[in-house]
Amino acid sequence: MPNLTHKHSIKFDCTLRRFQIRRIYQATIQPYLFTTILLLLPLLAYGQDEATLRVIVTSEEDGNPVLGANMILKSPDEDTLHVGTSDTDGFNEFSNIKAKEYRLAISYIGYQTHREQVSLEPGETRVLNTTLSVSTEMLDEVQIRVAGGAARREAGRQTITAEELGRIPTPGPGGDLTMYLQTQPGVVTTGDRGGELHIRGGTPAQNLILVDNMPIIKPFHISNLFSAFPQATINSVDIYAGGFGAEYIGATSSVLDVTLRPGNMREYQSQVASSPYLLSFQAEGPLRQDDQSLMIMGRRSIIEHTGPVFSGQEVPLDFYDVMGRYSIQRPGISCSMTAIHTYDEGQINPYRQVTLDWTNTVAGSRCLGYSEQFDNTFDVTIGFTNYSSSEGGIDRNIRTAGMQKGFLRLDLEQDFLGLTFDYGITWELTRILADLDDPFAEVQEEAGMRFSTLAASIDEIISSLKMYATVNWKPNDYFTVEPGLAYQIKQSELSASLEPRLRVNWKPDGTERREISLAAGRYHQMMEGITDERDAGTVFYVWTATRPGEPLPRSHHGILGYRRDFGIGLEYNIEAYVKDHQSIPVSEWTREPGNTIRTAYADGFTYGADIRFEVDRYPFYALMSYGIAEVTYEAKAEDLVAWIDQPVFSYNPAHDRRHQFNFIGSYQFGGFAASVSWQYASGRPFTQ
């Protein structure tokens, strides 16, 4: 329950609070205009005296793509220089370059540098598949930092690899995404159980979590120590604490974009591991060498049985997760089919005797096409996700809620006039289900008539369309500007949103040593998760769609960051940010928390700053970070239906935390690694 002491706060409004685009304009002109722009982009052609070079980088060890490999493309006379970095698929494209002869060099720490002569003809699209061999040379000094630390860090965003996860000690074998996230300033959990993550002032329902472009609702286990993404399955994770680009639609706070790695393409391997907390099993290997692979992994908690032995008290927690992944890597195209299932059951507060459970099931396929026959690369994803949850307690009432979603997503890339256009479209068909008891039914009065707006049972189907376009403009070696526009429409109603986004990077000396970055944007959600955050004994959510005439939950982000790399394994990063959330659904303040999902609307304002120091000098690694923030909600007292004698009430929600300090240390020796993680944080605004 929030502290009811009134606090004065400064409220900034980035835009006019009451500004809304006319609904008839949203439902007619805007969709057709934006769709027309997207359809016309592929028709634009680049000059025929130019060429395109696509490079795929894989590892000699396992045949998997190499993330973060540096590529330098030079002409023999040294007057032309192009630089690139491979993505999670090991892919990089040099587009709109002059058709001539080049020298290509590809390097990555731990591998031998690959060099090759490339001759391009006018109008040609060439695909090079390159394998990096493991280096056996001992280097006195390494100047390029790719493998160490975060692969990339800029305003609101950082990219981490599996090696990063392994530096955080966990009570199980190997690293895990959940434990890593909790070491980041601005990430708050409201207790030691529940699987809830609040990122820079947002709620769990305001986060978007993707695994290989497929949405997953709640992949974090009830123990707050594990997720469905252990270190052994991850290739990389893009963490956006805010300011994310136009390609991410449907979230107002943060994005976690997880990319899984393919199974080993060259060797068979398996392992079984155990700890007092869980058991795990993993097996992978090629079905056809360098062409097809299969990876399966499963984990099961045993703390419910071992807890009483080690702690002398009951630990009512039970969870497991299973993942299977089939991958194909062919010249010109790579595909994967992935299935994930998770299960959680337990009690957050045993004294309440409220039992919670939830499951996630995600299955789908993703293909990346980059063949020489394709003028443009494409990325297509199709799949299905299902989330279900229930809450049962001493009142003998069982409440259930969930969501089912089918989706088809297409992402494309087009070069025109020296600019790179990324654009795409996603179609989603969502079914919302709930079976609630009578206290959850919401009844309102209007014009003397009573009617129910949220019945005890919910079964609703929503069709939505999401589109985006982003331009990558790099006028010189110092600036990169990425303006973007996102658009989403709920087809069953006249609900639509237009969301401009912007990211800017400035390198004052034209190198990677110093960088100033800025991110800003407007964000909307058409789905909302409702829970009573005053009840510390439950994390039961009911998902609903915004109703006709209701305001869409929305936010505005502003982030400014500075990064300095000293080139000797020392880097520091500082960021300042603001988030202005509007129309956040919060439960009415009934006398007893946890027995209603009747909602009021609150506005939230978050501001803060993070600073990080990172030392990466093999075999030693250390990261120190400090974050300061404040989260304030403001709502009309008459909407809260509370006992407050003022028209507008400001309060700090349960996930408000002022100070947070983290330290991570790791040392490797003789095939072993020792790691330590320590966190100190100030309290939160709970009352008895």
Side-chain angles (χ1 to χ4, degrees), residues 184-200:
Q184 304 303 296
V187 178
V188 176
T189 61
T190 53
D192 59 357
R193 300 179 185 178
E196 301 284 87
L197 291 180
H198 301 259
I199 300 179
R200 286 189 176 176

Side-chain angles (χ1 to χ4, degrees), residues 39 66 105 180 268 460 506 555 676:
L39 293 177
V66 176
Y180 183 91
Y268 297 98
E460 184 178 2
W506 175 43
S555 67
V676 61

Side-chain angles (χ1 to χ4, degrees), residues 38 41 246-247 377 411-415 419-424 468-472 482-485:
L38 290 179
L41 283 174
E247 66 270 28
T377 60
D411 298 276
L412 299 166
E413 183 178 292
Q414 173 71 50
D415 295 297
L419 301 177
T420 299
F421 291 82
D422 294 311
Y423 57 101
Y468 77 91
T470 301
V471 179
N472 187 301
E482 297 182 10
L485 189 65

Side-chain angles (χ1 to χ4, degrees), residues 167-170 179-180 182-184 623 661-666 674-680:
R167 288 171 171 160
I168 311 299
T170 69
M179 291 296 292
Y180 183 91
Q182 293 182 60
T183 66
Q184 304 303 296
L623 174 66
F661 176 82
N662 294 279
F663 172 78
I664 301 169
S666 176
S675 300
V676 61
S677 176
W678 179 70
Q679 181 181 105
Y680 175 81

Side-chain angles (χ1 to χ4, degrees), residues 24 68 90 99 153 168-170 193 195 200 222 271 336 407 437 467 483 494 507 540 576 582 592 618 637:
I24 187 67
R153 186 174 286 152
I168 311 299
T170 69
R193 300 179 185 178
R200 286 189 176 176
I222 193 170
Q271 64 177 5
S336 63
F407 50 88
D437 50 1
M467 296 171 283
L494 298 178
K507 300 172 182 176
F540 179 72
Q582 300 172 19
E592 291 291 334
Y618 184 85

